[in-house]
Amino acid sequence: MTPFQTPAHHPAGGEPLAMTETGAKSKSDIDLSSEGNNGTEGGCTVEVEGPNERLLLAAAYVYDAQYNRNIPFETSPQAVRLYYFYNHWVMQVATYICIIVDLALALFEEPAVCPLPFLATSIVEIFCLMAFFGRLLHYGKVTPRSIFWKDTKNICVMVTILLNLIDLIIYGSLSIAQIPSVRWSRVLRPIYLVNFAESRQIRRAFRSIRNTLPEILYVFLLFMFSVLIFSLMALKLFGSRKLKTAEGEPYFENYLEGVFNLYVLVTTANSPDVMMPAYDYNWWYSIFFIAYIILNTYIFMSVFLAVVYNNYRKHLKNEIRKLAYMKRRKMAEAFNALKVKEGPDFVIPETTWKKLVKLVAPDISKSHRELLLRVSKDEHQEYVGKQAFIRLADLLNIKVITVKARMHPFECWMPHFYRSAVSRFIRRVVHHKGFVYAFDVVILVNAIFIALDDRNPLISHAEWVFLALYVLEILLKLYTYDPRSFFAMNQFWNWFDTFIIIAALIATTVNTWLSSVSQYNSQQVLDIVFILRVLRLIRIIDSIQRFRVIMNTLINILPTMFTFCGIILAIYYVFAIVGMEIFKNKIRFFPENSTHPYAQECGAEALRNSAFARGKYCRNNFNDMGSAFIVLVELTVVNQWHVLATGFSLVTRPEAKLYFITFHVVIVIMIINIFVAFILEAFFVEYSLEKSEVETAIEKKIQELGMAVQEGDLPSGKLVDNMENCENDLGAFGEVDQKGLMFRIASKRYRTVDALLQRMFEAEIPPEDEGPPMEDILNLSPDDLYIENPTYHTAA
């Protein structure tokens, strides 16, 4: 593959193109045939100046709109060539690999999971920094210089690279001189994860979080004021009574310690322990703690979620509004690059449209392209109008499954038997809903038998009955449906059922055979059998409609949840690095038979008789990156987090608790609440949003054309002539004798939350509205109003 070629999912490459005038063109000016326009240089096809350049430019705009990419690129031949190469999948994968390797270096640097010499890790890090700099330099060659230097993320990456190099030099020099030092720049490594163009989803989420923080800050300050006031009251109520905790410690005699204990109470981690000394002294004091919990745990935490949800939702939709406007603008630019004059209007010729789609989506079939063309223009027209062209990016984003309707193999091999009355009866039974319900009952009965004692011979022998029924079910389905359609790539549950049944059959057979061999313990095989039996019950999810809707919704929002996983990973990484520098080797784990004098105290005398040591928390330490991440996960779960904070403060200083409080505020109060708000918004949209206009248009056209399309060499414009009438349901293969192809819209699981939200906003944009200029789009705020789009402020 040459640098100018692109994989199937990328717009076609080619030699650089130049921005041309986008005024009115005659049809002769837009002749995009390749004859006479191509030359050869160095074994690569070189596109010379001409209309093909406008086609490639339009393809770049359409691809940018399709995948919400917003990289402003110069239009000189060299810049455009670099732009295609910049977005090549190899370059993107290489960047991700370098980011992952750079972050993973913490596993091998002191304190390390697997220690490596400093020279080895520094060489790898320098290589990654060179790759980052090269990627940044490549980006600078693509974008206009004025835009490049105004982009904050580029400045952040450059400064981070410089700081990493300075830290490497200083740390290496001090190591040679055997002077202890700290690798302070490691906390900056997540900046690469956030600020490269490939991480635009994570960056957009960070931007929404950053815009939400000011509103959260006011609620947090009021919350902390409440905690401080209650702590002062606790000091006056209990401090002079010389009460003791269960560990014999003073009870609310120190104000800062009281603030920490009441802050922990908000998380309920030390409830009711913190209340018991006062409650034992006088039961009336329980009113103080109950009032505190009601106000701070329930009211303030609920207000936190409400404020976070409201503001994050507003800023999230503002980001989506920007994407919708930018997509509309880029599609308008693509239209302007190819438009020709047709009477009073500008249009895109049909031949030009086909070549453009072939460049942007080279992997879709001719039939699929003809289907999209029919959706985009009237039957008797030979061109595509602007309003229809603007929808092209959405049309390409809709997953249209092409299903080849073939004859069942048995129908080819045994046509008379397969069409006999008995065979038709069997197939009708399999198609009937009662067939599904019957095996749902079998699964439920099987679940009851799994829960019973399998040492009972009757129960163990029943397993063979259930396996026989499941195998019979699969065989009947394969007899009824075409096996190639039954095991299509999108038939997840068919693959899952078959794999589980075959694996259970093999494992049960092996287990029975091994059990017959004397003096042999087949417990491991038996464990596999038990697991496969339980997994078999998952099939019930796909059988019940409500279960299936919820599962599909969760599957749909799963990719967008990965965005927050990236955010949490970045924050975890920073806290882990800081924690390792502060707490490394302060707490150690020893085996049970260790002779170390402080083995029971986790290697620190200060932990003697502490809750940390009594709870055997010695493995919860910051002695390497893996252990640090586990501690942070435990802190995120919240339970017993105050025991961890107190333990680490005992081996360092009391001020160390601020590290754990900060982590709780950032992750649990802010990020987790924002994550919950995002999941709520995504779930509401995904669960309730109807099909978009373009999706409905495709389905209508599929129905108009009969759904069955003969694949092969389709004469241009002869799609309807190649249709075959077919009225059967696409979900039931083998019911009707068919040939050719059938189209259907893929399951909702192929959608993304961003795409759904965009469609909500785009429905409010008038078709003729291209939006404000690109610079204004990037600076849109949730409160900005536009005459062309007066409804945005209500949606935001």
Side-chain angles (χ1 to χ4, degrees):
M1 179 178 290
T2 67
F4 314 124
Q5 292 175 325
T6 318
H9 66 278
H10 201 283
E15 269 299 298
L17 46 139
M19 177 69 80
T20 58
E21 295 182 4
T22 57
K25 310 288 183 201
S26 66
K27 286 189 177 181
S28 59
D29 290 337
I30 202 70
D31 179 17
L32 297 171
S33 60
S34 58
E35 288 79 11
N37 288 334
N38 294 341
T40 303
E41 180 179 338
C44 297
T45 301
V46 179
E47 307 286 354
V48 298
E49 295 285 336
N52 273 336
E53 295 176 356
R54 295 197 295 274
L55 184 67
L56 291 174
L57 178 60
Y61 281 133
V62 172
Y63 189 81
D64 284 358
Q66 183 182 358
Y67 292 98
N68 292 320
R69 194 172 60 197
N70 182 37
I71 301 177
F73 57 92
E74 289 188 346
T75 56
S76 64
Q78 181 182 9
V80 175
R81 177 177 57 188
L82 289 172
Y83 180 68
Y84 275 104
F85 187 57
Y86 180 86
N87 291 296
H88 197 286
W89 70 272
V90 172
M91 299 296 293
Q92 294 177 347
V93 170
T95 303
Y96 279 124
I97 291 175
C98 289
I99 292 174
I100 293 172
V101 169
D102 188 53
L103 292 175
L105 285 176
L107 297 172
F108 308 100
E109 298 168 332
E110 291 295 338
V113 176
C114 302
L116 289 178
F118 171 74
L119 181 61
T121 58
S122 61
I123 290 175
V124 174
E125 184 168 8
I126 290 173
F127 175 81
C128 293
L129 296 179
M130 291 174 61
F132 297 150
F133 182 75
R135 187 67 169 163
L136 193 65
L137 186 64
H138 194 169
Y139 186 86
K141 292 292 184 179
V142 168
T143 59
R145 186 168 301 177
S146 58
I147 296 178
F148 178 84
W149 290 108
K150 290 180 181 178
D151 196 334
T152 306
K153 64 178 181 293
N154 298 332
I155 305 300
C156 286
V157 171
M158 283 191 292
V159 172
T160 304
I161 292 174
L162 180 62
L163 292 176
N164 284 153
L165 286 174
I166 293 174
D167 185 32
L168 268 176
I169 295 172
I170 294 175
Y171 185 85
S173 302
L174 294 176
S175 297
I176 294 174
Q178 296 183 347
I179 300 175
S181 61
V182 176
R183 286 294 314 278
W184 49 266
S185 71
R186 294 193 296 173
V187 297
L188 303 177
R189 288 173 180 169
I191 289 178
Y192 303 123
L193 177 65
V194 176
N195 283 284
F196 273 113
E198 289 77 9
S199 303
R200 57 184 177 275
Q201 297 279 0
I202 296 178
R203 186 165 56 254
R204 190 165 70 241
F206 258 117
R207 191 159 54 238
S208 296
I209 292 173
R210 182 190 63 201
N211 293 330
T212 306
L213 288 180
E215 289 85 356
I216 300 177
L217 181 62
Y218 293 110
V219 181
F220 180 74
L221 291 176
L222 190 58
F223 161 73
M224 286 305 303
F225 178 75
S226 173
V227 173
L228 294 174
I229 290 296
F230 271 92
S231 300
L232 187 59
M233 286 191 290
L235 180 67
K236 298 302 180 182
L237 284 173
F238 312 124
S240 60
R241 286 176 169 79
K242 305 301 180 181
L243 301 178
K244 299 293 182 180
T245 65
E247 291 79 16
E249 299 292 330
Y251 187 68
F252 283 102
E253 294 182 9
N254 181 282
Y255 180 67
L256 294 179
E257 192 68 28
V259 171
F260 176 74
N261 286 328
L262 287 184
Y263 183 88
V264 173
L265 182 58
V266 173
T267 69
T268 71
N270 62 350
S271 177
D273 295 350
V274 69
M275 182 183 70
M276 293 312 298
Y279 185 40
D280 291 340
Y281 183 79
N282 191 328
W283 73 272
W284 282 100
Y285 286 134
S286 63
I287 298 175
F288 171 85
F289 293 96
I290 293 173
Y292 177 84
I293 292 172
I294 291 174
L295 177 62
N296 293 282
T297 301
Y298 293 107
I299 296 180
F300 265 114
M301 290 299 107
S302 298
V303 170
F304 260 119
L305 180 59
V307 171
V308 167
Y309 177 75
N310 182 62
N311 288 280
Y312 181 77
R313 182 174 182 268
K314 178 176 67 175
H315 291 291
L316 172 67
K317 290 195 172 184
N318 183 55
E319 292 290 335
I320 299 300
R321 178 174 60 152
K322 293 179 184 180
L323 292 180
Y325 261 141
M326 285 189 290
K327 180 167 67 174
R328 183 68 64 89
R329 172 67 67 176
K330 285 184 177 293
M331 291 305 299
E333 293 289 346
F335 180 85
N336 291 335
L338 299 177
K339 65 184 180 182
V340 299
K341 190 77 171 180
E342 180 69 28
D345 301 319
F346 290 104
V347 297
I348 303 294
E350 181 179 316
T351 55
T352 304
W353 187 95
K354 289 182 178 180
K355 291 181 180 180
L356 175 66
V357 174
K358 192 171 183 180
L359 283 174
V360 177
D363 55 333
I364 66 175
S365 64
K366 281 186 178 181
S367 300
H368 190 173
R369 284 199 298 272
E370 289 284 350
L371 176 66
L372 298 183
L373 179 60
R374 291 294 179 178
V375 175
S376 302
K377 74 179 186 68
D378 294 334
E379 186 173 352
H380 302 293
Q381 292 178 339
E382 296 183 357
Y383 53 82
V384 177
K386 182 175 181 179
Q387 293 186 19
F389 182 83
I390 292 294
R391 301 189 305 177
L392 178 58
D394 287 326
L395 292 174
L396 293 172
N397 275 332
I398 294 175
K399 181 77 172 180
V400 178
I401 294 179
T402 304
V403 182
K404 289 190 176 183
R406 309 178 180 92
M407 293 179 64
H408 197 285
F410 283 146
E411 190 174 9
C412 299
W413 303 335
M414 301 177 294
H416 296 292
F417 174 77
Y418 196 75
R419 297 171 184 173
S420 66
V422 175
S423 177
R424 288 200 303 269
F425 174 76
I426 293 174
R427 285 182 280 157
R428 281 197 301 270
V429 169
V430 175
H431 285 306
H432 198 275
K433 290 183 178 179
F435 183 82
V436 177
Y437 296 152
F439 275 92
D440 287 346
V441 173
V442 171
I443 294 173
L444 293 176
V445 174
N446 190 191
I448 296 174
F449 273 73
I450 290 175
L452 297 176
D453 187 3
D454 67 313
R455 288 175 292 184
N456 187 320
L458 180 63
I459 303 297
S460 60
H461 292 155
E463 177 62 20
W464 287 105
V465 176
F466 288 114
L467 281 174
L469 290 174
Y470 293 138
V471 171
L472 177 63
E473 178 194 18
I474 292 175
L475 293 177
L476 288 174
K477 287 183 177 179
L478 290 175
Y479 179 80
T480 303
Y481 306 123
D482 176 23
R484 290 164 294 188
S485 302
F486 186 79
F487 289 117
M489 292 297 294
N490 61 310
Q491 299 295 330
F492 167 78
W493 288 108
N494 293 342
W495 283 95
F496 178 81
D497 289 351
T498 306
F499 172 78
I500 291 296
I501 297 308
I502 293 176
L505 182 61
I506 295 173
T508 305
T509 303
V510 171
N511 179 67
T512 303
W513 176 74
L514 291 176
S515 298
S516 64
V517 179
S518 59
Q519 305 298 325
Y520 186 86
N521 183 6
S522 57
Q523 184 61 42
Q524 292 182 340
V525 179
L526 190 61
D527 291 341
I528 296 175
V529 173
F530 288 150
I531 292 173
L532 292 173
R533 288 180 187 174
V534 176
L535 288 178
R536 195 186 307 152
L537 305 181
I538 298 177
R539 294 182 51 202
I540 201 70
I541 294 175
D542 195 52
S543 300
I544 300 177
Q545 174 65 23
R546 283 296 177 184
F547 285 179
R548 189 161 59 244
V549 170
I550 295 173
M551 285 301 299
N552 284 342
T553 303
L554 294 176
I555 291 172
N556 289 344
I557 66 177
L558 187 61
T560 49
M561 290 170 63
F562 288 149
T563 298
F564 270 88
C565 290
I567 294 173
I568 292 176
L569 172 64
I571 298 175
Y572 268 34
Y573 193 92
V574 172
F575 273 95
I577 294 296
V578 173
M580 287 192 298
E581 295 297 343
I582 298 175
F583 304 117
K584 63 181 178 182
N585 297 324
K586 300 293 185 181
I587 293 175
R588 292 177 292 168
F589 172 77
F590 297 93
E592 287 289 338
N593 56 355
S594 175
T595 58
H596 191 280
Y598 299 122
Q600 299 301 316
E601 289 78 27
C602 307
E605 185 180 5
L607 294 177
R608 185 183 299 276
N609 297 323
S610 66
F612 190 97
R614 291 199 306 271
K616 297 185 181 299
Y617 287 180
C618 302
R619 275 196 181 274
N620 297 322
N621 54 59
F622 287 87
N623 296 343
D624 55 66
M625 179 61 77
S627 300
F629 263 71
I630 292 174
V631 173
L632 295 180
V633 170
E634 293 172 346
L635 294 174
T636 304
V637 177
V638 173
N639 192 36
Q640 297 293 88
W641 75 276
H642 63 293
V643 175
L644 296 172
T646 303
F648 283 99
S649 67
L650 289 175
V651 297
T652 52
R653 295 179 58 84
E655 292 81 2
K657 292 180 180 178
L658 292 175
Y659 170 89
F660 299 91
I661 294 175
T662 303
F663 179 84
H664 182 268
V665 171
V666 173
I667 290 292
V668 179
I669 292 183
M670 294 185 180
I671 300 300
I672 297 300
N673 274 327
I674 290 175
F675 180 70
V676 171
F678 176 81
I679 296 301
L680 287 174
E681 183 68 12
F683 191 86
F684 291 154
V685 171
E686 181 67 30
Y687 196 73
S688 62
L689 192 64
E690 297 297 329
K691 293 178 182 177
S692 67
E693 179 185 352
V694 290
E695 208 170 68
T696 305
I698 289 183
E699 289 191 330
K700 286 181 178 179
K701 185 58 63 175
I702 290 174
Q703 293 171 2
E704 291 173 8
L705 299 176
M707 290 188 178
V709 185
Q710 183 65 41
E711 181 71 341
D713 296 331
L714 289 175
S716 176
K718 299 295 183 181
L719 180 67
V720 177
D721 296 340
N722 287 273
M723 290 295 172
E724 294 181 358
N725 188 23
C726 174
E727 298 179 354
N728 71 301
D729 183 3
L730 290 177
F733 302 104
E735 286 186 288
V736 180
D737 300 338
Q738 301 174 34
K739 296 178 182 178
L741 296 177
M742 294 178 292
F743 295 116
R744 69 180 174 89
I745 302 297
S747 166
K748 280 188 175 183
R749 70 186 59 181
Y750 292 99
R751 295 177 182 175
T752 63
V753 174
D754 284 354
L756 293 172
L757 291 173
Q758 278 192 65
R759 291 173 191 175
M760 291 176 62
F761 284 113
E762 287 168 348
E764 302 172 359
I765 304 176
E768 67 278 1
D769 182 17
E770 297 177 4
M774 191 67 72
E775 294 78 8
D776 295 341
I777 293 173
L778 295 175
N779 296 321
L780 283 177
S781 72
D783 300 321
D784 286 336
L785 303 180
Y786 288 91
I787 296 177
E788 298 89 347
N789 184 28
T791 60
Y792 265 148
H793 67 286
T794 59

